[in-house]
Amino acid sequence: MISFVLGVEDLADTRFALSPLSETVLSLRVLREPGLSAVHLPWRRSVLGRLGALDTALLMSLVAQRRTLPDFLTPRPTSFSPGFEEELALVRAASADLVRRDLMAAHAPDPLPEALLDAGSADDARVLALRDAVCDLLRRYWEIAVEPMWPRMRLLLEADMTYRARQLAVGGARLLFAGMHPNLRWHDGVLHIGQMISGHRVRASGRGLLLVPSVFAHKPAPPVSPDEPPTLLYPSRGVATLWAQEPAADAPALVALLGAPRAKLLGLLGEPLPTAEIARRFRVTPSAVSQHLRVLHATGLVSRARDGRQVLYRRSALGDRLAGPHL
Protein backbone atom coordinates (compact mmCIF):
# COMPACT_ATOMS: atom_id res chain seq x y z
CA MET A 1 0.00 0.00 0.00
CA ILE A 2 1.14 3.54 -0.79
CA SER A 3 -0.14 6.36 1.43
CA PHE A 4 -0.15 10.14 0.95
CA VAL A 5 -0.30 12.21 4.13
CA LEU A 6 -2.10 15.43 3.16
CA GLY A 7 -2.41 18.49 5.36
CA VAL A 8 -4.89 21.35 5.04
CA GLU A 9 -2.58 23.27 2.72
CA ASP A 10 -2.05 20.20 0.56
CA LEU A 11 -5.80 19.76 0.11
CA ALA A 12 -6.09 23.46 -0.72
CA ASP A 13 -3.41 22.88 -3.39
CA THR A 14 -5.10 19.80 -4.88
CA ARG A 15 -5.26 20.34 -8.64
CA PHE A 16 -5.74 18.51 -11.93
CA ALA A 17 -3.69 18.02 -15.06
CA LEU A 18 -3.78 16.20 -18.40
CA SER A 19 -1.01 13.99 -19.75
CA PRO A 20 -1.08 12.90 -23.41
CA LEU A 21 2.21 11.05 -22.91
CA SER A 22 0.84 9.02 -20.00
CA GLU A 23 -2.19 8.05 -22.09
CA THR A 24 0.10 6.95 -24.91
CA VAL A 25 2.25 4.82 -22.61
CA LEU A 26 -0.69 3.32 -20.70
CA SER A 27 -2.43 2.38 -23.96
CA LEU A 28 0.39 -0.10 -24.59
CA ARG A 29 -1.13 -2.36 -21.93
CA VAL A 30 -4.38 -2.61 -23.87
CA LEU A 31 -2.51 -3.11 -27.12
CA ARG A 32 -0.52 -6.00 -25.65
CA GLU A 33 -3.31 -7.51 -23.55
CA PRO A 34 -6.76 -7.13 -25.14
CA GLY A 35 -8.46 -8.94 -22.26
CA LEU A 36 -7.43 -6.19 -19.85
CA SER A 37 -10.33 -3.95 -20.87
CA ALA A 38 -13.12 -4.90 -23.24
CA VAL A 39 -14.17 -1.24 -23.32
CA HIS A 40 -11.10 -0.38 -25.41
CA LEU A 41 -11.41 -3.19 -27.95
CA PRO A 42 -12.88 -0.90 -30.66
CA TRP A 43 -9.87 1.40 -30.27
CA ARG A 44 -7.46 -1.53 -30.34
CA ARG A 45 -8.98 -2.98 -33.51
CA SER A 46 -8.75 0.37 -35.27
CA VAL A 47 -5.10 0.84 -34.27
CA LEU A 48 -3.69 -2.60 -35.08
CA GLY A 49 -4.17 -2.18 -38.81
CA ARG A 50 -2.34 1.16 -38.86
CA LEU A 51 0.86 0.32 -36.99
CA GLY A 52 2.55 -1.03 -40.12
CA ALA A 53 6.31 -1.36 -39.78
CA LEU A 54 6.44 0.17 -36.30
CA ASP A 55 8.72 -1.78 -33.93
CA THR A 56 5.96 -3.20 -31.78
CA ALA A 57 8.36 -5.65 -30.13
CA LEU A 58 10.19 -2.79 -28.43
CA LEU A 59 6.90 -1.09 -27.55
CA MET A 60 5.43 -4.23 -25.99
CA SER A 61 8.62 -4.93 -24.05
CA LEU A 62 8.05 -1.73 -22.07
CA VAL A 63 5.09 -3.43 -20.35
CA ALA A 64 6.25 -5.92 -17.74
CA GLN A 65 4.58 -9.28 -17.13
CA ARG A 66 2.85 -7.82 -14.07
CA ARG A 67 1.68 -4.83 -16.22
CA THR A 68 4.00 -2.33 -14.59
CA LEU A 69 5.63 0.42 -16.66
CA PRO A 70 8.87 2.36 -16.10
CA ASP A 71 8.14 5.56 -14.19
CA PHE A 72 10.48 7.71 -16.29
CA LEU A 73 8.10 7.29 -19.25
CA THR A 74 5.26 9.02 -17.38
CA PRO A 75 6.75 12.20 -15.88
CA ARG A 76 4.62 14.40 -13.65
CA PRO A 77 2.86 17.06 -15.80
CA THR A 78 4.46 20.47 -15.29
CA SER A 79 1.35 22.42 -16.34
CA PHE A 80 -2.40 21.85 -16.63
CA SER A 81 -2.24 20.71 -20.24
CA PRO A 82 1.30 20.00 -21.48
CA GLY A 83 1.82 19.09 -25.12
CA PHE A 84 3.03 15.63 -26.07
CA GLU A 85 6.41 16.92 -27.28
CA GLU A 86 6.82 18.92 -24.09
CA GLU A 87 6.37 15.80 -21.99
CA LEU A 88 8.53 13.68 -24.29
CA ALA A 89 11.36 16.20 -23.85
CA LEU A 90 11.37 15.36 -20.12
CA VAL A 91 11.81 11.67 -20.97
CA ARG A 92 14.65 12.49 -23.36
CA ALA A 93 16.37 14.32 -20.50
CA ALA A 94 16.23 11.31 -18.16
CA SER A 95 19.65 10.21 -16.96
CA ALA A 96 21.11 6.80 -17.75
CA ASP A 97 20.88 5.88 -14.06
CA LEU A 98 17.18 6.77 -13.93
CA VAL A 99 16.37 4.88 -17.14
CA ARG A 100 18.30 1.82 -15.96
CA ARG A 101 16.73 1.88 -12.50
CA ASP A 102 13.13 2.31 -13.69
CA LEU A 103 13.30 -0.30 -16.45
CA MET A 104 14.78 -2.90 -14.13
CA ALA A 105 12.37 -2.02 -11.31
CA ALA A 106 9.35 -2.30 -13.61
CA HIS A 107 10.35 -5.80 -14.77
CA ALA A 108 11.66 -7.18 -11.47
CA PRO A 109 11.80 -9.95 -10.42
CA ASP A 110 11.78 -11.09 -14.06
CA PRO A 111 14.82 -10.51 -16.29
CA LEU A 112 14.72 -7.71 -18.84
CA PRO A 113 13.17 -8.64 -22.22
CA GLU A 114 15.62 -9.09 -25.07
CA ALA A 115 14.62 -5.76 -26.64
CA LEU A 116 15.63 -3.95 -23.42
CA LEU A 117 18.85 -5.76 -22.59
CA ASP A 118 20.90 -2.61 -23.16
CA ALA A 119 19.18 -1.09 -20.13
CA GLY A 120 21.13 -3.48 -17.91
CA SER A 121 24.45 -2.36 -19.35
CA ALA A 122 27.04 -0.49 -17.32
CA ASP A 123 27.72 1.55 -20.46
CA ASP A 124 25.68 4.76 -20.11
CA ALA A 125 25.90 5.45 -23.86
CA ARG A 126 24.03 2.23 -24.64
CA VAL A 127 21.34 3.02 -22.08
CA LEU A 128 20.85 6.53 -23.46
CA ALA A 129 20.71 5.21 -27.02
CA LEU A 130 17.92 2.85 -25.92
CA ARG A 131 16.12 5.77 -24.23
CA ASP A 132 16.25 7.81 -27.43
CA ALA A 133 15.05 4.89 -29.54
CA VAL A 134 12.07 4.43 -27.21
CA CYS A 135 11.27 8.16 -27.43
CA ASP A 136 11.37 8.13 -31.24
CA LEU A 137 9.12 5.10 -31.29
CA LEU A 138 6.65 6.58 -28.81
CA ARG A 139 6.34 9.72 -30.93
CA ARG A 140 5.43 7.71 -34.03
CA TYR A 141 3.05 5.54 -32.01
CA TRP A 142 1.36 8.64 -30.55
CA GLU A 143 0.81 10.07 -34.04
CA ILE A 144 -0.80 6.84 -35.23
CA ALA A 145 -2.68 5.49 -32.24
CA VAL A 146 -3.58 8.30 -29.85
CA GLU A 147 -3.25 11.77 -31.39
CA PRO A 148 -6.21 11.34 -33.81
CA MET A 149 -8.45 10.55 -30.83
CA TRP A 150 -6.90 13.03 -28.39
CA PRO A 151 -9.55 15.80 -28.86
CA ARG A 152 -12.32 13.36 -27.91
CA MET A 153 -10.27 11.96 -25.04
CA ARG A 154 -9.49 15.43 -23.75
CA LEU A 155 -13.17 16.41 -23.63
CA LEU A 156 -13.91 13.27 -21.62
CA LEU A 157 -11.06 13.96 -19.19
CA GLU A 158 -12.06 17.59 -18.72
CA ALA A 159 -15.65 16.50 -17.99
CA ASP A 160 -14.27 14.17 -15.31
CA MET A 161 -12.25 17.02 -13.79
CA THR A 162 -15.37 19.19 -13.60
CA TYR A 163 -17.25 16.42 -11.81
CA ARG A 164 -14.42 15.73 -9.34
CA ALA A 165 -13.93 19.42 -8.58
CA ARG A 166 -17.60 19.66 -7.69
CA GLN A 167 -17.32 16.60 -5.43
CA LEU A 168 -14.45 18.26 -3.61
CA ALA A 169 -16.36 21.52 -3.27
CA VAL A 170 -19.53 19.84 -1.99
CA GLY A 171 -18.16 17.08 0.24
CA GLY A 172 -14.46 17.70 0.73
CA ALA A 173 -11.71 15.10 0.30
CA ARG A 174 -13.88 12.26 1.61
CA LEU A 175 -16.43 12.68 -1.20
CA LEU A 176 -13.74 13.40 -3.79
CA PHE A 177 -11.97 10.07 -3.25
CA ALA A 178 -15.04 7.98 -2.34
CA GLY A 179 -16.11 7.40 -5.93
CA MET A 180 -12.77 7.39 -7.73
CA HIS A 181 -11.84 3.72 -7.35
CA PRO A 182 -12.30 0.87 -4.83
CA ASN A 183 -8.53 0.84 -4.23
CA LEU A 184 -8.64 4.35 -2.71
CA ARG A 185 -9.47 5.04 0.94
CA TRP A 186 -9.42 8.39 2.73
CA HIS A 187 -9.02 8.34 6.51
CA ASP A 188 -7.75 10.91 9.02
CA GLY A 189 -5.93 13.05 6.49
CA VAL A 190 -4.27 10.12 4.71
CA LEU A 191 -5.07 8.83 1.23
CA HIS A 192 -4.40 5.09 1.10
CA ILE A 193 -3.86 3.43 -2.29
CA GLY A 194 -4.25 -0.34 -2.12
CA GLN A 195 -3.24 -3.20 -4.42
CA MET A 196 0.23 -1.73 -5.05
CA ILE A 197 3.40 -3.73 -5.70
CA SER A 198 5.36 -1.54 -3.29
CA GLY A 199 4.58 0.12 0.00
CA HIS A 200 5.59 3.45 1.50
CA ARG A 201 4.19 6.57 3.16
CA VAL A 202 4.75 10.00 1.59
CA ARG A 203 4.22 13.28 3.43
CA ALA A 204 3.06 15.96 1.03
CA SER A 205 4.52 18.67 3.29
CA GLY A 206 3.06 21.57 1.35
CA ARG A 207 3.60 20.13 -2.12
CA GLY A 208 -0.12 19.52 -2.68
CA LEU A 209 -1.67 16.67 -4.64
CA LEU A 210 -1.80 16.43 -8.43
CA LEU A 211 -4.70 14.39 -9.88
CA VAL A 212 -4.44 13.12 -13.46
CA PRO A 213 -7.55 11.44 -14.93
CA SER A 214 -6.82 8.79 -17.53
CA VAL A 215 -8.67 6.97 -20.28
CA PHE A 216 -6.37 3.93 -20.34
CA ALA A 217 -5.61 3.51 -16.62
CA HIS A 218 -7.39 0.50 -15.15
CA LYS A 219 -6.57 1.38 -11.53
CA PRO A 220 -5.01 4.28 -9.55
CA ALA A 221 -1.28 4.70 -10.23
CA PRO A 222 0.91 6.83 -7.94
CA PRO A 223 4.67 7.16 -8.52
CA VAL A 224 6.57 4.08 -7.40
CA SER A 225 9.36 6.15 -5.87
CA PRO A 226 8.67 7.70 -2.44
CA ASP A 227 10.86 10.65 -3.45
CA GLU A 228 8.32 11.90 -6.00
CA PRO A 229 5.69 14.56 -5.07
CA PRO A 230 2.18 13.18 -4.43
CA THR A 231 0.62 12.47 -7.83
CA LEU A 232 -2.29 10.17 -8.60
CA LEU A 233 -3.24 9.00 -12.06
CA TYR A 234 -6.72 7.47 -11.88
CA PRO A 235 -9.37 5.99 -14.24
CA SER A 236 -11.69 8.64 -15.67
CA ARG A 237 -15.48 8.44 -15.59
CA GLY A 238 -17.40 7.80 -18.80
CA VAL A 239 -14.76 5.79 -20.67
CA ALA A 240 -17.39 3.26 -21.77
CA THR A 241 -18.94 5.94 -24.00
CA LEU A 242 -15.68 7.04 -25.61
CA TRP A 243 -15.54 4.63 -28.52
CA ALA A 244 -19.33 4.40 -28.96
CA GLN A 245 -20.71 5.04 -32.41
CA GLU A 246 -22.28 8.41 -33.10
CA PRO A 247 -26.01 8.36 -32.32
CA ALA A 248 -28.13 7.35 -35.28
CA ALA A 249 -30.31 9.90 -37.04
CA ASP A 250 -33.81 10.30 -35.63
CA ALA A 251 -37.06 9.73 -37.49
CA PRO A 252 -37.42 11.68 -40.76
CA ALA A 253 -40.30 13.81 -39.46
CA LEU A 254 -38.33 15.07 -36.47
CA VAL A 255 -35.26 15.72 -38.65
CA ALA A 256 -37.40 17.65 -41.13
CA LEU A 257 -38.75 19.81 -38.31
CA LEU A 258 -35.55 20.51 -36.37
CA GLY A 259 -32.71 19.59 -38.70
CA ALA A 260 -30.49 16.56 -38.18
CA PRO A 261 -28.05 18.07 -35.62
CA ARG A 262 -30.80 19.37 -33.32
CA ALA A 263 -32.87 16.21 -33.66
CA LYS A 264 -29.88 14.10 -32.61
CA LEU A 265 -29.14 16.50 -29.77
CA LEU A 266 -32.71 16.35 -28.51
CA GLY A 267 -32.57 12.56 -28.59
CA LEU A 268 -29.41 12.55 -26.51
CA LEU A 269 -30.72 14.83 -23.76
CA GLY A 270 -32.78 12.26 -21.91
CA GLU A 271 -30.20 12.71 -19.15
CA PRO A 272 -28.66 15.96 -17.86
CA LEU A 273 -25.38 16.65 -19.67
CA PRO A 274 -22.89 19.54 -19.78
CA THR A 275 -21.87 21.12 -23.08
CA ALA A 276 -18.39 19.58 -23.04
CA GLU A 277 -19.73 16.04 -22.69
CA ILE A 278 -22.29 16.58 -25.46
CA ALA A 279 -19.55 17.90 -27.73
CA ARG A 280 -17.38 14.89 -26.99
CA ARG A 281 -20.13 12.42 -27.86
CA PHE A 282 -20.92 14.19 -31.14
CA ARG A 283 -17.24 14.80 -31.95
CA VAL A 284 -17.72 18.53 -32.50
CA THR A 285 -16.60 21.68 -30.68
CA PRO A 286 -18.44 22.94 -27.58
CA SER A 287 -19.21 26.20 -29.40
CA ALA A 288 -21.05 24.30 -32.14
CA VAL A 289 -23.14 22.50 -29.52
CA SER A 290 -23.89 25.77 -27.71
CA GLN A 291 -25.46 27.26 -30.83
CA HIS A 292 -27.96 24.41 -31.09
CA LEU A 293 -28.62 24.37 -27.35
CA ARG A 294 -29.52 28.06 -27.42
CA VAL A 295 -32.15 27.44 -30.10
CA LEU A 296 -33.60 24.38 -28.35
CA HIS A 297 -33.72 26.24 -25.04
CA ALA A 298 -35.33 29.32 -26.59
CA THR A 299 -38.09 27.18 -28.08
CA GLY A 300 -38.75 25.41 -24.78
CA LEU A 301 -37.57 21.98 -25.93
CA VAL A 302 -34.60 21.90 -23.54
CA SER A 303 -34.26 23.04 -19.93
CA ARG A 304 -31.04 24.01 -18.23
CA ALA A 305 -29.83 24.23 -14.65
CA ARG A 306 -26.55 25.27 -13.07
CA ASP A 307 -24.66 22.56 -11.21
CA GLY A 308 -21.62 24.09 -9.56
CA ARG A 309 -19.48 25.65 -12.29
CA GLN A 310 -21.21 23.89 -15.16
CA VAL A 311 -24.62 24.14 -16.80
CA LEU A 312 -26.54 20.90 -17.40
CA TYR A 313 -29.03 20.54 -20.25
CA ARG A 314 -31.96 18.11 -20.45
CA ARG A 315 -35.06 17.68 -22.57
CA SER A 316 -38.02 19.59 -21.17
CA ALA A 317 -41.50 18.08 -20.85
CA LEU A 318 -42.34 19.64 -24.22
CA GLY A 319 -39.16 18.15 -25.69
CA ASP A 320 -40.11 14.73 -24.32
CA ARG A 321 -43.53 14.93 -25.93
CA LEU A 322 -42.11 16.03 -29.27
CA ALA A 323 -39.28 13.49 -29.38
CA GLY A 324 -41.04 10.65 -27.56
CA PRO A 325 -42.50 8.83 -30.56
CA HIS A 326 -39.17 8.96 -32.38
CA LEU A 327 -36.76 7.73 -29.62
Side-chain angles (χ1 to χ4, degrees):
M1 178 179 290
I2 292 177
S3 301
F4 292 151
V5 182
L6 305 171
V8 174
E9 288 300 317
D10 298 306
L11 291 174
D13 198 21
T14 295
R15 55 203 186 280
F16 294 86
L18 299 169
S19 177
L21 176 58
S22 292
E23 293 294 357
T24 302
V25 173
L26 289 172
S27 74
L28 296 175
R29 288 172 172 160
V30 177
L31 198 66
R32 195 192 77 166
E33 192 174 339
L36 181 62
S37 177
V39 166
H40 295 306
L41 288 180
W43 168 85
R44 185 178 184 273
R45 284 193 294 266
S46 71
V47 166
L48 284 176
R50 293 185 276 118
L51 293 179
L54 210 61
D55 186 358
T56 53
L58 179 54
L59 279 176
M60 296 300 97
S61 71
L62 297 172
V63 186
Q65 289 298 318
R66 54 182 180 173
R67 300 172 181 162
T68 49
L69 289 155
D71 263 7
F72 81 96
L73 292 178
T74 54
R76 177 185 170 96
T78 56
S79 62
F80 169 72
S81 180
F84 179 83
E85 291 293 340
E86 180 184 343
E87 291 195 287
L88 194 63
L90 297 176
V91 180
R92 287 193 183 278
S95 68
D97 286 342
L98 179 62
V99 173
R100 184 185 294 113
R101 183 200 73 185
D102 284 358
L103 281 170
M104 296 184 74
H107 286 273
D110 299 317
L112 287 172
E114 183 176 352
L116 298 177
L117 285 179
D118 281 349
S121 171
D123 183 349
D124 285 357
R126 290 173 62 185
V127 178
L128 295 180
L130 174 63
R131 176 202 65 191
D132 293 344
V134 167
C135 286
D136 291 341
L137 190 57
L138 282 173
R139 181 197 287 112
R140 296 198 297 276
Y141 174 69
W142 150 262
E143 293 169 349
I144 295 169
V146 181
E147 186 178 23
M149 307 307 299
W150 179 244
R152 292 176 61 192
M153 293 169 62
R154 175 169 178 151
L155 285 172
L156 177 85
L157 297 172
E158 289 183 346
D160 179 272
M161 292 178 187
T162 300
Y163 173 81
R164 303 295 178 192
R166 182 177 183 276
Q167 295 295 92
L168 179 62
V170 171
R174 190 179 305 279
L175 187 58
L176 169 65
F177 298 121
M180 267 191 182
H181 195 274
N183 289 359
L184 297 178
R185 183 172 62 88
W186 172 259
H187 181 67
D188 285 346
V190 181
L191 178 62
H192 301 282
I193 308 154
Q195 304 297 314
M196 301 301 301
I197 61 172
S198 60
H200 51 259
R201 190 178 179 94
V202 177
R203 292 191 175 276
S205 302
R207 293 176 293 177
L209 173 65
L210 184 64
L211 298 172
V212 185
S214 168
V215 165
F216 287 107
H218 66 287
K219 66 178 184 177
V224 174
S225 171
D227 299 326
E228 295 293 322
T231 304
L232 184 66
L233 189 144
Y234 66 91
S236 173
R237 300 171 74 246
V239 172
T241 68
L242 188 58
W243 315 122
Q245 294 296 315
E246 186 174 345
D250 296 282
L254 192 60
V255 171
L257 177 65
L258 300 176
R262 290 170 191 163
K264 291 179 182 179
L265 181 53
L266 192 65
L268 180 67
L269 291 177
E271 60 175 317
L273 293 172
T275 304
E277 174 61 15
I278 298 169
R280 184 190 67 77
R281 295 194 189 186
F282 281 103
R283 308 178 196 178
V284 297
T285 63
S287 60
V289 170
S290 294
Q291 294 175 22
H292 294 304
L293 286 172
R294 281 196 295 269
V295 173
L296 292 174
H297 180 261
T299 54
L301 298 177
V302 165
S303 61
R304 64 188 182 193
R306 181 163 293 281
D307 183 19
R309 294 186 178 181
Q310 64 183 355
V311 176
L312 299 178
Y313 293 86
R314 190 192 186 284
R315 278 197 312 269
S316 65
L318 177 60
D320 285 338
R321 289 196 297 272
L322 179 63
H326 307 292
L327 297 180

